[in-house]
Amino acid sequence: MNQPIASFVPLTTTLMDKHQESPGIFTLYLKLNTSAPFNFSFGQFNMLYLFGLGEVAISIMGWRNNLLLHTIRAVGRVTQPLVQLEPGQQLGLRGPFGYGWPLEQTKGKDIVFITAGLGCAPVVAAINHTVEHKQHYGRIVILQGVKHHNDLLWQTQYDHWQNTGNCQVLLAASEEYKHRYKWRLGMVTELLNFAEFDTENCAVLMCGPEIMMLAALKQLAKLHVADEAVYLSLERNFQCGQASCGHCQLGPFFVCKDGPVFHYPTVKPWFGLSGI
Amino acid sequence: MIKHFLARQHLDQLFSVLSNAGYQVVGPTVKDNAIVFTELSHVEQLPWGRQEIAKPGHYQLTDTSTNRCFAWNTGPQGLKPWLFKPEQPLWQAEQTEQGLCFRQASIEAHPIAVIGLRGCDLAALKLQDQHFLQGPYPDPYYQAQREQLFIIAVNCAQSAETCFCVSTGDGPEATHSFDLVLDELEEGYLMGCGSEQGQAIFQQLTLGPQVSKDQLHTAQKQLADASQQQRQMPDEDSLLKLTENLEHPQWQDVADRCLACGNCTLVCPTCFCSKQESTSDIKLQQAEQVRLWDSCFSEQHGYIAGKLFRPEIRHRYRQWLLHKLANWQQQYGRSGCVGCGRCISWCPVGIDLVAEAQILVKGTPHEPTDR
Ligand code: SF4
Ligand code: SF4
């Protein structure tokens, strides 16, 4: 776990740039008001604070040119006004919190990323990392599902991963699809049948709606991928990020501290149950 | 432990010695027909001759035939609100010419000496210490007050109907975490020391005559009487197994009675859930982040944008009970219930945690349902 740059009291950050990814989805480029290094693992999250309105947990999308990237969907009480900030305006940040993706332990293996919806944000940085360090990993497979093909964020990223990154990129749209490129009609989990990877020496990194991850787990079991190969990122109500407020509990786990990325065998007894 | 005798008429000395040592005395008094811990200035404020009648959904004070001040067992709150405050400012934000600035809220702690805590309260304190101090992010507000806490515990001479501390291993005797400990007899107090700070206070009191065999015997007898309890929480291993029985029909049965009011979580001395609230002044210059007690019975507890993780009361009651009795063991090495019985008497519909747990541990396993 990386020591947070700010744990109890937020650190001032300045919005340097803002990029609209799709209707209602924005990437914020943040400059931290400190000279201290921001150490994080891909998959960790920060608490972003909007003056007077409160905090919201957002996973780290990346780090580029000394700026921290967060991709935010404007759906909540805090996120809606948050994405309306203009460059130059400031906000608070606590974090990073929790455990990220196991990018060290998975070296030497084929890596399969499975995501759906905006679920992609927490793994984008991890994908970039594996692509940039391709020599350490085997094949890289990226499976992404959306409702409509134009819901896909970072279209050019996928092109880049496929063409220059030499990854196998498979996309599924559940409600309509285009007869071109790599789109298929259906659920992201069905893409697993077309994915080319070594089922005995792979790591599967998943995030997105739990119902999608459950379906993917079933499909993976059919392909004889061991539970031990699977990691997933969970979302819960994070208010403190410090395993104190109690809101993010899942059975014995505090998702903010023990996750948000879990090794599937650890969380398996509690994952996907209704009302837990 | 060597016990010394403090005559009843010298109890006020304890107050003055503590206060001269810089402590604010906090102890039980009667308020709104309940035993409430508050700042005390003299011994007359203690609940002399008062006792509670506690039953499921029922709490009432009555007069006792004896003139004791610790003839009761619990009030709605123990030590929890003094360390984990119901409302705790965390930090302030200010829009200044230099930009947005944050500062930690001031830590307001002062030496307090709490008199009258029971075995269950001390067990709860240990659990709260674990939660707030022993994780990766020790809580500075809790810690500051915790370091300035002096504890005068009392061994229970009787049990309320709702007490079951014997079955959780937490009472009726106070065995740890205190500076001084008292047994209350008709004629006064047997006093033992549990720390150097306790010793320092103790030395300034007028003690004696020497404790008699009879007095020691009476104190033992009182503890034995207090150990006769009607309720028994199932053992921890059976409680842990509750996690394998998530679809037991009893969850629905109890949900049909539960109002999801959250009283049980508020009175429970080990519950630690909190939520944060943000406020700002009308000119949008100053803002504050405040931490408030929260309850897993609120629908919002498991809410994230667009999704309620525990939409039904059945899910929320199950969260409360399973967390308290089973998952707590995995998180903190023991059950989160210390047998105080508060949640039983302060539940408006008289739901009895022990009775529910007993039914649940007997249940037949059901397959969990996928969502
Ligand atoms: S669960 Fe009930 S009996 Fe147990 S410690 Fe909490 S309030 Fe007391
Ligand atoms: S069990 Fe009783 S006290 Fe607890 S939420 Fe339900 S009705 Fe309220």
Side-chain angles (χ1 to χ4, degrees):
Chain A
M1 225 182 343
N2 299 295
Q3 201 55 33
I5 202 154
S7 54
F8 263 98
V9 181
L11 173 76
T12 303
T13 62
T14 308
L15 179 65
M16 302 306 284
D17 203 357
K18 180 169 78 167
H19 185 246
Q20 178 155 13
E21 306 287 358
S22 77
I25 297 181
F26 295 81
T27 298
L28 306 186
Y29 294 71
L30 303 174
K31 187 172 178 335
L32 307 184
N33 220 346
T34 175
S35 53
F38 181 74
N39 297 318
F40 73 98
S41 330
F42 306 114
Q44 286 191 293
F45 67 94
N46 288 318
M47 301 295 302
L48 297 185
Y49 168 74
L50 185 57
F51 184 84
L53 279 180
E55 291 185 312
V56 62
I58 309 281
S59 68
I60 298 171
M61 220 283 283
W63 179 266
R64 219 173 286 157
N65 303 326
N66 269 325
L67 297 179
L68 171 68
L69 275 62
H70 276 297
T71 298
I72 299 172
R73 185 156 46 146
V75 285
R77 196 181 54 83
V78 178
T79 48
Q80 278 173 3
L82 190 61
V83 301
Q84 321 231 316
L85 289 180
E86 292 301 331
Q89 289 189 289
Q90 294 186 314
L91 58 158
L93 174 146
R94 295 190 298 120
F97 294 116
Y99 284 98
W101 302 106
L103 298 178
E104 283 300 311
Q105 300 93 297
T106 52
K107 281 186 175 163
K109 297 177 195 285
D110 287 356
I111 311 286
V112 182
F113 294 98
I114 308 179
T115 72
L118 184 62
C120 188
V123 293
V124 167
I127 297 176
N128 281 330
H129 177 90
T130 50
V131 169
E132 278 161 30
H133 300 85
K134 188 112 201 325
Q135 70 276 19
H136 297 308
Y137 301 94
R139 283 169 286 188
I140 298 175
V141 182
I142 301 165
L143 313 180
Q144 160 86 37
V146 287
K147 262 193 195 151
H148 301 272
H149 72 271
N150 52 12
D151 291 342
L152 183 71
L153 306 182
W154 304 297
Q155 174 84 47
T156 53
Q157 281 274 38
Y158 288 86
D159 289 343
H160 169 79
W161 291 329
Q162 167 146 325
N163 302 330
T164 34
N166 222 347
C167 309
Q168 185 189 13
V169 174
L170 297 170
L171 304 171
S174 58
E175 296 188 359
E176 45 87 81
Y177 76 115
K178 279 186 174 176
H179 281 286
R180 64 176 178 90
Y181 198 42
K182 50 232 156 223
W183 288 98
R184 284 165 210 272
L185 180 65
M187 307 304 288
V188 63
T189 49
E190 293 157 22
L191 297 176
L192 270 169
N193 297 326
F194 306 98
E196 288 159 20
F197 63 100
D198 181 351
T199 52
E200 288 176 5
N201 185 33
C202 66
V204 180
L205 277 48
M206 278 200 273
C207 79
E210 291 188 9
I211 192 151
M212 176 283 282
M213 294 200 274
L214 275 174
L217 284 163
K218 284 202 181 119
Q219 194 63 25
L220 287 164
K222 278 191 201 148
L223 298 172
H224 303 290
V225 174
D227 288 349
E228 282 68 28
V230 180
Y231 297 83
L232 24 93
S233 173
L234 302 186
E235 266 190 309
R236 282 294 182 280
N237 182 348
F238 301 143
Q239 298 211 1
C240 68
Q242 304 176 312
S244 177
C245 79
H247 287 255
C248 70
Q249 288 180 90
L250 174 67
F253 305 109
F254 291 90
V255 176
C256 74
K257 169 179 71 104
D258 304 315
V261 174
F262 283 93
H263 190 204
Y264 176 54
T266 309
V267 78
K268 186 176 181 179
W270 295 94
F271 181 68
L273 303 175
S274 119
I276 284 290
Chain B
M1 182 186 299
I2 301 168
K3 302 253 173 135
H4 298 265
F5 183 68
L6 179 73
R8 170 146 298 152
Q9 69 269 26
H10 289 147
L11 187 62
D12 58 352
Q13 268 190 13
L14 179 59
F15 275 49
S16 51
V17 169
L18 286 167
S19 138
N20 290 340
Y23 290 105
Q24 167 67 59
V25 177
V26 169
T29 195
V30 174
K31 205 175 154 204
D32 301 331
N33 204 27
I35 301 288
V36 172
F37 278 78
T38 183
E39 295 176 346
L40 300 179
S41 48
H42 47 86
V43 291
E44 284 77 48
Q45 291 168 283
L46 292 167
W48 294 102
R50 305 288 276 167
Q51 184 176 31
E52 90 268 34
I53 299 174
K55 296 183 193 154
H58 182 95
Y59 181 97
Q60 188 192 352
L61 291 182
T62 57
D63 292 329
T64 61
S65 50
T66 62
N67 188 29
R68 297 184 177 214
C69 63
F70 300 113
W72 49 276
N73 290 87
T74 60
Q77 295 291 341
L79 188 57
K80 181 166 90 168
W82 297 87
L83 298 176
F84 169 38
K85 309 244 162 73
E87 186 176 337
Q88 173 67 59
L90 296 176
W91 41 265
Q92 282 100 26
E94 191 177 357
Q95 302 279 11
T96 70
E97 287 185 357
Q98 287 77 45
L100 181 61
C101 293
F102 294 94
R103 64 170 180 277
Q104 180 162 21
S106 60
I107 296 183
E108 281 157 26
H110 59 285
I112 57 171
V114 183
I115 185 167
L117 297 176
R118 311 309 176 103
C120 57
D121 295 317
L122 300 180
L125 170 67
K126 242 191 191 173
L127 284 171
Q128 292 252 302
D129 281 355
Q130 258 180 294
H131 179 72
F132 286 105
L133 301 180
Q134 290 158 27
Y137 306 100
D139 182 279
Y141 307 100
Y142 183 98
Q143 184 158 28
Q145 189 56 65
R146 178 68 178 96
E147 283 166 359
Q148 302 203 54
L149 178 66
F150 185 97
I151 292 175
I152 304 131
V154 172
N155 288 325
C156 288
Q158 70 293 315
S159 276
E161 193 189 308
T162 45
C163 294
F164 55 98
C165 60
V166 173
S167 63
T168 64
D170 299 309
E173 188 175 10
T175 56
H176 59 88
S177 308
F178 55 75
D179 297 290
L180 294 173
V181 64
L182 305 176
D183 291 282
E184 185 174 47
L185 308 178
E186 287 301 306
E187 64 276 20
Y189 303 88
L190 304 190
M191 186 182 267
C193 263
S195 72
E196 278 174 28
Q197 289 97 306
Q199 194 73 34
I201 296 297
F202 178 80
Q203 277 162 356
Q204 301 175 55
L205 300 168
T206 309
L207 298 165
Q210 223 186 334
V211 177
S212 72
K213 271 213 175 107
D214 272 359
Q215 285 177 320
L216 283 175
H217 183 251
T218 307
Q220 280 309 318
K221 169 113 191 358
Q222 291 183 164
L223 273 173
D225 288 348
S227 302
Q228 301 299 315
Q229 297 176 343
Q230 309 175 10
R231 285 186 166 68
Q232 265 138 33
M233 181 56 86
D235 65 80
E236 287 191 339
D237 287 345
S238 334
L239 294 174
L240 198 53
K241 289 220 181 71
L242 293 178
T243 60
E244 295 160 17
N245 208 350
L246 300 177
E247 298 302 322
H248 194 295
Q250 189 64 15
W251 295 121
Q252 188 58 52
D253 187 279
V254 66
D256 290 342
R257 288 170 279 139
C258 174
L259 312 172
C261 67
N263 269 12
C264 48
T265 57
L266 295 181
V267 297
C268 179
T270 68
C271 273
F272 55 67
C273 282
S274 64
K275 61 182 172 195
Q276 297 197 8
E277 270 182 19
S278 310
T279 53
S280 64
D281 67 350
I282 199 147
K283 286 187 273 169
L284 297 180
Q285 292 300 307
Q286 311 262 357
E288 188 171 58
Q289 190 80 352
V290 178
R291 180 177 74 190
L292 304 165
W293 281 6
D294 199 10
S295 170
C296 55
F297 280 94
S298 116
E299 205 177 49
Q300 297 297 312
H301 192 271
Y303 172 83
I304 56 171
K307 183 158 177 61
L308 290 174
F309 280 99
R310 290 182 282 274
E312 296 169 29
I313 293 184
R314 170 171 72 97
H315 302 140
R316 305 205 283 278
Y317 189 89
R318 185 174 68 181
Q319 171 64 19
W320 141 255
L321 189 145
L322 271 190
H323 178 227
K324 185 71 52 184
L325 303 180
N327 296 143
W328 213 292
Q329 297 187 47
Q330 298 155 309
Q331 294 170 342
Y332 302 99
R334 61 155 292 175
S335 150
C337 174
V338 297
C340 73
R342 287 184 175 93
C343 60
I344 300 173
S345 45
W346 293 94
C347 173
V349 294
I351 292 172
D352 178 344
L353 179 76
V354 178
E356 298 303 325
Q358 279 165 346
I359 295 170
L360 286 159
V361 295
K362 276 199 224 111
T364 47
H366 291 245
E367 276 300 301
T369 50
D370 285 354
R371 46 171 78 106

